[in-house]
């Protein structure tokens, strides 16, 4: 089974930067999309950024111009470069992968979450 391992979270000052990584292990035949979500206390999990199999990217309005999603296909890894961080970016960030295995079965797998705290 595919597992996702996240890293790169931490404490950063407003205006600073972090780069999150999410590495997928296991057998993946075809990635439909990989994405990043965040969830703040008392709020629902919401989409931050997604990159589809054809390379198309989409971002939440709140992070446009500040965050960049990218991937390394050889490593099955997705990254989220976060610049100009704001207090309101504080949340647990989760990656996910939407993929199809070699037997044409469709899966959606979530990472364990990594805490991002923006504080002065």
């Amino acid at each position: 089974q595919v597992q996702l391992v996240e890293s790169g979270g931490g404490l950063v000052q407003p205006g600073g930067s972090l780069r999150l990584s999410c590495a997928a292990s296991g057998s993946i035949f075809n990635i439909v999309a990989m994405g990043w979500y965040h969830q703040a206390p008392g709020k629902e999990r919401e989409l931050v950024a997604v990159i589809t199999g054809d390379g198309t990217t989409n971002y939440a309005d709140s992070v446009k111009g500040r965050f960049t999603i990218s991937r390394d296909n050889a490593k099955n890894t997705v990254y989220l470069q976060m610049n100009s961080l704001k207090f309101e970016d504080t949340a647990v960030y989760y990656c996910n992968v939407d993929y199809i295995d070699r037997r044409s079965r469709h899966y959606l797998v979530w990472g364990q979450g990594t805490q991002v705290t923006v504080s002065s």
Side-chain angles (χ1 to χ4, degrees):
Q1 296 293 324
V2 169
Q3 293 183 325
L4 302 180
V5 179
E6 302 180 31
S7 62
L11 176 64
V12 65
Q13 294 184 348
S17 298
L18 286 172
R19 191 191 193 202
L20 305 183
S21 298
C22 176
S25 62
S27 181
I28 298 176
F29 182 70
N30 184 37
I31 295 175
V32 178
M34 299 186 78
W36 289 95
Y37 294 71
H38 68 193
Q39 186 168 21
K43 297 184 178 180
E44 295 184 351
R45 189 174 300 184
E46 61 183 10
L47 178 69
V48 175
V50 62
I51 183 166
T52 64
D54 66 358
T56 301
T57 58
N58 288 284
Y59 298 90
D61 288 341
S62 62
V63 307
K64 287 180 179 177
R66 300 188 297 120
F67 291 9
T68 302
I69 188 170
S70 62
R71 66 187 178 196
D72 183 333
N73 291 330
K75 297 180 179 180
N76 283 333
T77 299
V78 63
Y79 305 93
L80 185 67
Q81 179 66 46
M82 303 185 294
N83 298 326
S84 302
L85 283 160
K86 304 175 180 179
F87 293 122
E88 51 264 42
D89 295 320
T90 296
V92 178
Y93 284 72
Y94 299 89
C95 65
N96 82 333
V97 59
D98 180 4
Y99 74 96
I100 298 169
D101 71 8
R102 296 182 184 276
R103 298 179 66 178
S104 298
R105 295 177 294 194
H106 196 187
Y107 298 88
L108 182 66
V109 179
W110 292 90
Q112 81 280 8
T114 185
Q115 177 71 47
V116 172
T117 301
V118 183
S119 177
S120 61

